[in-house]
Amino acid sequence: MIRTTFGLLALLALLPALPARDKAETPTPTQQYQALVKEYQTAMMEFRKAYFAAKTPQDQQKVFQEKYPRPDKFAPRFLEVAEKNPQDPAAVDALIWIVQSQVDTSDPKGPRAKALKILFRDHVQNEKMVKVCYRLGFARDEESRQLMRAVLEKNKYRSAQAHACLSLARQTENRLRLARRFKDQPEMAKRYEVIRGKEAFEALAKADLDKLSKEVEAFYERIVKDFADVAAPDSGTFGEMAEQKLEGLRHPILVGKPVPEIDGEDIDSKKFKLSDYRGKVVMLDFWGHW
Amino acid sequence: MYSHERSLVKRLEGKPFVLIGVNSDKDRAALNKVMDKEKITWRSFWNGGSTQGSISERWDVEGWPTLYLIDAKGVLRHKHVGSPGEKALDEELDKLIAEAEKTAAAK
């Protein structure tokens, strides 16, 4: 009898303590965010597989319609995570996902517009704001401009500031390019007015091109002055890139004029110059394999 | 994908012509593999591994590919954002090469 009890006690002592499960576990905001990211990535992988397996353009179109993970379906779910947990670290991640996605930029009531508002309100000082700067460089809306301005002026991380400054420079330059095209291609200007509305059209049609041009330069000059040493995307520094850009703005390469020198490296890191080929006709091909 | 470039290099061998790339890919090692596979034999400048690199900034490149046709004296004669098509390029290049050969012969 004693032996059996002892054996039982010994067995009980060996059993691991079981945790108390008094309620169902709800995923944390971070877990919710990560689950959404995984769901999106999985859907994207499945789409790509099916797309490459499709034999005809019609099949490809069908696969696209049926399987492409739509950002406008995912964005509201990311927004919900952010709106329900505004103080949680996952909120900024969810908002950044929305801004980085291909969700429609023109809807002033859509998830992207809401995400920009919340980022402007709560996250201007966050180091992670660097992640939206490249995408917002292509944006045309005022909210994107305000957000980048706020990051440039208020964020304490110089990398975020530098990226935001570049984003503003590119936004402004895109407006300048579009305004110039309006003058050269009135047909295209008319179409723009029809699609985007009178207000958006007039903002560009009546733009002072010289003023815009000076604004672009001012952003690059600011980069050279305040952020020269910050590491640029991929390689080199912001200063090097901005100085080359300013040179390009001030001494544009025009048909009928001599071209500047290129003093660089090839893919094997060997130095060479464009002027090495003087005396030959050169086709200079800016390319990438993507 | 690079068949016209390869054919240009072949067709214009021995003529005063050179095709030079400026490449914006991210990764040099991966690019070397691509160049082997696609038989890209002409030289390319490295644009710092991005589309925001120093060379493309200086040359005001906003779309890829962008082609600059420069004559033998170093003057820009044509700029194309996107290829204007093989025929147009061949015509433009042949004209510039004929010009270069004439200048060289006159010396």
Side-chain angles (χ1 to χ4, degrees):
Chain A
M1 200 52 189
I2 295 175
R3 238 159 126 214
T4 318
T5 315
F6 194 78
L8 265 173
L9 282 171
L11 254 178
L12 282 170
L14 284 171
L15 282 173
L18 295 170
R21 306 261 294 188
D22 54 347
K23 60 175 179 179
E25 287 175 8
T26 41
T28 65
T30 298
Q31 286 169 333
Q32 289 172 44
Y33 164 76
Q34 284 169 347
L36 275 172
V37 171
K38 187 156 184 219
E39 190 187 327
Y40 180 82
Q41 285 172 345
T42 305
M44 186 57 97
M45 248 169 34
E46 283 173 12
F47 158 74
R48 284 203 179 116
K49 234 175 25 192
Y51 192 81
F52 284 123
K55 299 244 162 47
T56 68
Q58 290 96 316
D59 286 343
Q60 283 180 336
Q61 179 74 326
K62 192 159 178 278
V63 166
F64 180 80
Q65 274 159 6
E66 288 173 7
K67 281 189 177 276
Y68 187 74
R70 295 196 144 40
D72 57 294
K73 294 274 180 280
F74 277 85
R77 298 165 67 190
F78 279 97
L79 187 65
E80 195 183 357
V81 172
E83 282 179 331
K84 287 202 166 135
N85 309 280
Q87 312 290 354
D88 193 283
V92 72
D93 293 329
L95 296 167
I96 288 171
W97 191 97
I98 297 168
V99 175
Q100 290 282 72
S101 75
Q102 302 283 14
V103 72
D104 178 27
T105 59
S106 65
D107 181 2
K109 294 198 165 69
R112 181 183 178 276
K114 291 183 179 161
L116 287 176
K117 275 200 179 72
I118 302 171
L119 284 169
F120 184 78
R121 186 191 71 201
D122 296 345
H123 300 290
V124 158
Q125 306 246 28
N126 195 310
E127 191 174 11
K128 288 180 176 181
M129 287 308 292
V130 75
K131 292 184 179 190
V132 296
C133 294
Y134 178 75
R135 170 72 94 228
L136 291 182
F138 297 98
R140 297 212 192 121
D141 56 303
E142 185 59 21
E143 286 71 32
S144 296
R145 201 179 73 85
Q146 301 281 28
L147 180 58
M148 291 291 90
R149 265 247 93 100
V151 171
L152 173 58
E153 300 310 334
K154 297 187 184 150
N155 197 297
K156 299 283 183 287
Y157 297 94
R158 290 180 71 240
S159 179
Q161 289 179 296
H163 279 83
C165 197
L166 179 61
S167 186
L168 285 162
R170 293 177 98 90
Q171 283 178 13
T172 313
E173 193 174 15
N174 284 336
R175 275 171 38 228
L176 175 60
R177 282 189 178 126
L178 202 50
R180 278 189 182 139
R181 268 191 217 129
F182 277 15
K183 298 204 156 35
D184 293 334
Q185 300 171 39
E187 287 293 302
M188 178 245 167
K190 204 83 208 113
R191 278 202 306 274
Y192 188 90
E193 184 175 8
V194 167
I195 294 171
R196 301 270 177 177
K198 200 175 162 83
E199 205 183 312
F201 168 74
E202 292 202 335
L204 284 168
K206 299 189 171 162
D208 181 339
L209 297 184
D210 272 332
K211 186 158 169 278
L212 272 177
S213 184
K214 287 198 165 67
E215 273 179 41
V216 175
E217 266 189 59
F219 282 121
Y220 285 106
E221 282 164 354
R222 172 98 186 252
I223 290 174
V224 170
K225 178 164 157 284
D226 293 339
F227 310 114
D229 58 313
V230 175
D234 299 304
S235 81
T237 64
F238 265 87
E240 283 161 7
M241 179 266 287
E243 274 172 4
Q244 287 301 308
K245 179 67 183 181
L246 281 167
E247 191 64 13
L249 290 171
R250 290 166 180 160
H251 306 286
I253 297 166
L254 301 169
V255 170
K257 295 274 188 300
V259 300
E261 173 73 286
I262 302 177
D263 190 349
E265 290 181 0
D266 65 16
I267 313 303
D268 299 319
S269 306
K270 292 206 178 67
K271 285 181 165 297
F272 76 115
K273 297 182 186 180
L274 182 59
S275 57
D276 293 344
Y277 301 93
R278 185 62 50 81
K280 293 191 178 181
V281 171
V282 174
M283 181 158 112
L284 191 65
D285 184 344
F286 285 80
W287 70 288
H289 190 83
W290 56 71
Chain B
M1 211 174 134
Y2 303 98
S3 62
H4 187 231
E5 287 87 337
R6 285 195 297 267
S7 75
L8 274 175
V9 168
K10 197 167 174 204
R11 179 168 79 78
L12 300 173
E13 203 180 334
K15 301 227 173 211
F17 167 78
V18 66
L19 171 56
I20 305 272
V22 180
N23 175 275
S24 283
D25 279 38
K26 265 173 134 39
D27 179 60
R28 268 169 147 137
L31 181 59
N32 263 313
K33 287 203 181 108
V34 166
M35 286 170 72
D36 281 340
K37 181 164 176 263
E38 301 286 341
K39 305 213 185 351
I40 295 171
T41 54
W42 53 95
R43 218 168 177 185
S44 283
F45 285 102
W46 179 243
N47 194 41
S50 93
T51 53
Q52 294 182 155
S54 290
I55 305 175
S56 59
E57 291 296 302
R58 176 69 185 90
W59 287 67
D60 192 29
V61 176
E62 43 171 321
W64 275 259
T66 291
L67 305 170
Y68 285 90
L69 272 57
I70 305 163
D71 71 20
K73 294 186 177 148
V75 171
L76 179 65
R77 303 291 287 274
H78 303 279
K79 176 184 175 182
H80 299 293
V81 182
S83 172
E86 299 188 9
K87 190 157 172 278
L89 269 181
D90 285 341
E91 278 174 14
E92 287 173 3
L93 285 172
D94 287 342
K95 256 204 197 133
L96 293 176
I97 290 167
E99 204 182 87
E101 287 175 327
K102 209 164 159 201
T103 313
K107 286 196 178 140

